[in-house]
C-alpha cells in the first residue's frame, strides 16, 4: 500500500532510538510533501513526492493531510464496569479523591460493579472504549486489572484484556494490578491482602500467562513502600516487570523504590520534585505523566519541564479509568502537556508516541515513523502546522486511522 500526497510526515525516527531524553525530546523530525510505503503490516519506506514515487497495488491519497505515528498509551484501566458519575458530583460538592475512597467509593465501587458483571458484558463495555480510542489515534495500549481484587475477578478482567488483544489490531499489553486497593473483605487486614496478592494471585496470573507487567498503587492511604517492594520482587520471580503508580496523592517513596527494583515505568508523579528526579537520573525507568488525571481531579501537574531539564525522558499516558480520568483521548493528553506542563508540541508528541511505547516495552516496533516498524498511523485533515494539532485541540482533525496497515472504522 502506498500513501501519497502526505502534506507532512511527522515523527520520523531514523536512528532506532528506543526513547528520547531531555533535549532530544524537543526535536520531532518531519518531511514535507511525502509518501509512505507499507508492505505487509510494516513500514517499508518513505520519501518525498518530488523524487521517485513507488508503485503499489493499493493507493491511499492523504490529500495534503499530515501523517502521524499512532499514540502509544502506556497506562490505562479501560476495562471496567459501568461508570462513576455520582463521585463526579461528590467531587464537585467538595470531596477529595482520597475522601471518596475512604468512604468505600472509588476503586471499591468499581470492584463491586465488576463483580456483578459477566465477562461477556465487561468485554462489550470495554470494546466501546476501544473503538473510541482507535478512532482517536491510539495504536498501542496498556490495560491494567485492579477492579477485581479477588483472584477470580482479577482473572476475569485479564481474560477480557486478552480477548481485546485477540479481536482487535491494537497492540495490547496487560498489567496485573491486584494491589490497586485492599479488597472490601480484607479492610483492616491489609498485610493479609498483600499475602494473597503474592501467594495466590501472582502465581495464578503467571500460570495462565495473562500479564506481562505487575503494578502497585504505592501511595498514601493505599500500599506502602515495603509492600510495593515485596510485590515487585514476587512479580519479578514470575517474569513480570513492574510499572508502579507512585506519588499521586503524596511523596510516597514509590519513585525511588520503583527505580531500585528496575521498574519499566513509574507513573503519575504529581507529588514529586528534586529527590524523585535525582532517583530517576541514569535509570531505565520511564517517568510517565498522566495530565488527564491531574486535570480531572484538579491536582497540581507533575514537573515535566524540570524532568526534561534534568535530562530525563518523559512519557504521557491517559490513565483512562472511571474515577480519575474518564477519557482515553491521547491528543487531549498531549494538549494538556503543552497547556498545563509547558511541554512544546514536539515534546508532548514524542512523549505520547515513542516514549509511551518505551514505557510498555514496545518501542522497537512502535511509536515512530521508521523503516521496519509496524504500520500504525493516522492521517489528519490538512493543517497549517504540527503545532496546530495540539492548539486546535477540539477540532476533529483525525480523518483516517491505520493499524498494521489496515484501515480502521472511525467508530
Ligand atoms: O491511576 N491511582 C490509582 N488508580 C487510578 C484510579 C482508579 C479509580 O479511581 O478507579 C489512577 O488514577
Ligand atoms: Fe492509573
Amino acid at each position: 500500500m502506498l500513501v501519497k500526497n502526505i502534506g507532512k510526515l511527522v515523527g520520523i525516527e531514523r536512528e532506532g532510538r528506543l526513547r528520547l531524553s531531555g533535549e532530544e525530546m524537543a526535536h520531532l523530525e518531519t518531511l514535507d510533501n511525502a509518501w509512505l510505503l507499507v508492505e505487509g503490516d510494516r513500514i517499508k519506506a518513505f520519501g518525498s513526492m518530488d523524487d521517485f514515487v513507488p508503485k503499489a497495488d493499493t493507493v491511499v491519497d492523504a490529500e495534503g493531510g499530515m501523517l502521524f505515528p499512532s499514540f502509544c498509551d502506556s497506562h490505562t484501566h479501560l476495562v471496567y464496569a459501568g461508570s462513576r458519575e455520582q463521585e463526579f458530583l461528590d467531587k464537585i460538592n467538595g470531596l477529595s479523591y482520597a475522601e471518596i475512597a475512604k468512604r468505600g467509593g472509588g476503586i471499591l465501587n468499581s470492584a463491586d460493579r465488576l463483580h456483578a458483571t459477566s465477562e461477556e458484558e465487561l468485554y462489550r463495555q470495554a470494546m466501546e472504549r476501544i473503538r473510541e480510542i482507535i478512532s482517536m489515534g491510539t495504536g498501542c495500549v496498556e490495560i491494567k486489572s485492579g477492579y477485581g481484587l479477588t483472584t477470580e475477578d482479577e482473572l476475569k478482567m485479564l481474560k477480557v484484556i486478552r480477548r481485546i488483544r485477540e479481536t482487535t489490531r491494537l497492540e495490547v499489553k496487560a498489567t496485573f494490578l491486584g494491589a490497586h486497593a485492599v479488597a472490601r473483605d480484607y479492610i483492616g487486614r491489609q498485610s493479609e491482602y498483600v499475602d494473597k496478592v503474592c501467594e495466590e494471585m501472582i502465581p495464578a496470573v503467571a500460570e495462565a500467562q495473562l500479564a506481562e507487567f505487575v503494578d502497585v498503587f504505592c501511595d498514601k492511604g493505599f500500599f506502602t513502600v515495603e509492600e510495593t517492594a515485596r510485590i515487585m520482587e514476587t512479580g519479578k520471580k514470575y517474569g513480570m516487570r513492574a510499572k508502579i503508580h507512585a506519588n499521586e496523592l503524596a511523596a510516597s517513596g514509590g519513585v525511588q523504590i520503583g527505580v531500585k527494583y528496575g521498574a519499566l515505568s513509574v507513573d503519575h508523579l504529581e507529588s514529586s520534585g528534586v529527590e524523585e528526579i535525582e532517583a530517576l537520573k541514569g535509570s531505565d525507568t520511564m517517568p510517565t505523566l498522566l495530565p488527564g488525571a491531574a486535570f480531572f481531579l484538579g491536582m497540581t501537574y507533575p514537573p515535566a519541564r524540570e524532568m526534561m531539564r534534568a535530562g530525563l525522558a518523559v512519557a504521557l499516558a491517559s490513565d483512562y479509568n472511571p474515577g480519575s480520568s474518564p477519557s482515553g483521548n491521547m491528543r487531549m493528553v498531549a494538549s494538556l502537556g503543552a497547556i498545563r506542563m509547558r511541554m512544546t508540541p514536539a515534546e508532548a508528541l514524542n512523549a505520547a508516541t515513542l516514549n509511551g511505547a518505551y514505557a510498555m516495552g514496545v518501542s522497537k516496533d512502535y511509536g515512530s515513523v521508521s523503516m521496519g516498524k509496524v504500520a500504525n498511523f493516522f492521517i489528519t485533515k490538512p493543517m497549517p502546522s504540527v503545532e496546530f494539532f495540539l492548539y486546535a485541540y477540539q477540532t476533529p482533525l483525525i480523518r483516517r486511522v491505520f493499524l498494521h496497515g489496515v484501515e480502521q472504522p472511525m467508530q
Side-chain angles (χ1 to χ4, degrees), residues 175-400:
T175 299
F176 168 66
L177 175 55
H180 197 191
V182 175
R184 236 181 246 297
D185 292 350
Y186 282 81
I187 288 175
R189 297 186 290 140
Q190 176 149 335
S191 68
E192 282 176 51
Y193 183 71
V194 174
D195 289 344
K196 192 173 148 112
V197 166
C198 292
E199 289 160 19
E200 189 181 311
M201 294 190 195
I202 290 177
V205 169
E207 163 79 26
Q209 297 185 19
L210 284 169
E212 31 271 307
F213 303 114
V214 62
D215 195 344
V216 180
F217 191 3
C218 178
D219 222 318
K220 191 169 161 221
F222 289 84
F223 295 89
T224 65
V225 164
E226 293 72 31
E227 290 165 340
T228 304
R230 178 170 168 213
I231 293 168
M232 285 193 286
E233 218 156 46
T234 310
K236 196 174 188 173
K237 233 174 59 198
Y238 285 91
M240 291 180 229
R241 195 163 173 195
K243 283 169 66 67
I244 298 298
H245 276 76
N247 296 47
E248 176 182 1
L249 310 172
S252 61
V255 172
Q256 288 85 341
I257 200 78
V259 169
K260 184 169 167 208
Y261 282 81
L264 180 56
S265 71
V266 287
D267 304 27
H268 271 292
L269 316 188
E270 286 85 355
S271 302
S272 58
V274 181
E275 286 169 29
E276 285 75 15
I277 290 174
E278 277 308 312
L280 282 158
K281 275 189 190 165
S283 77
D284 293 333
T285 304
M286 176 66 74
T288 299
L289 313 182
L290 314 169
F295 171 70
F296 190 76
L297 297 181
M299 296 185 293
T300 311
Y301 287 79
R305 279 247 68 81
E306 287 73 10
M307 289 175 174
M308 291 185 296
R309 200 177 302 128
L312 298 183
V314 169
L316 291 174
S318 75
D319 200 15
Y320 198 173
N321 79 72
S324 63
S325 182
S327 164
N329 186 341
M330 284 294 285
R331 179 174 161 218
M332 175 70 185
V333 166
S335 285
L336 283 173
I339 297 163
R340 303 307 309 266
M341 303 197 296
R342 294 176 46 237
M343 300 176 82
T344 64
E347 289 166 341
L349 289 165
N350 280 322
T353 54
L354 189 62
N355 283 0
Y358 177 94
M360 50 194 288
V362 299
S363 60
K364 203 166 66 57
D365 290 306
Y366 297 91
S368 60
V369 172
S370 309
M371 273 167 12
K373 278 198 178 178
V374 175
N376 276 14
F377 57 82
F378 57 83
I379 299 169
T380 68
K381 291 179 186 165
M383 300 190 289
S385 62
V386 171
E387 289 75 17
F388 186 85
F389 186 53
L390 299 190
Y391 153 85
Y393 65 95
Q394 289 287 27
T395 307
L397 292 168
I398 299 179
R399 193 141 72 176
R400 303 175 74 170

Side-chain angles (χ1 to χ4, degrees), residues 1 3 13 45 48 57 70 81 103 152 186 224 300 320 336 343 391 406:
M1 178 178 76
V3 186
E13 166 56 27
S48 165
D57 299 339
S70 296
R103 292 203 317 186
E152 195 183 343
Y186 282 81
T224 65
T300 311
Y320 198 173
L336 283 173
M343 300 176 82
Y391 153 85
V406 178

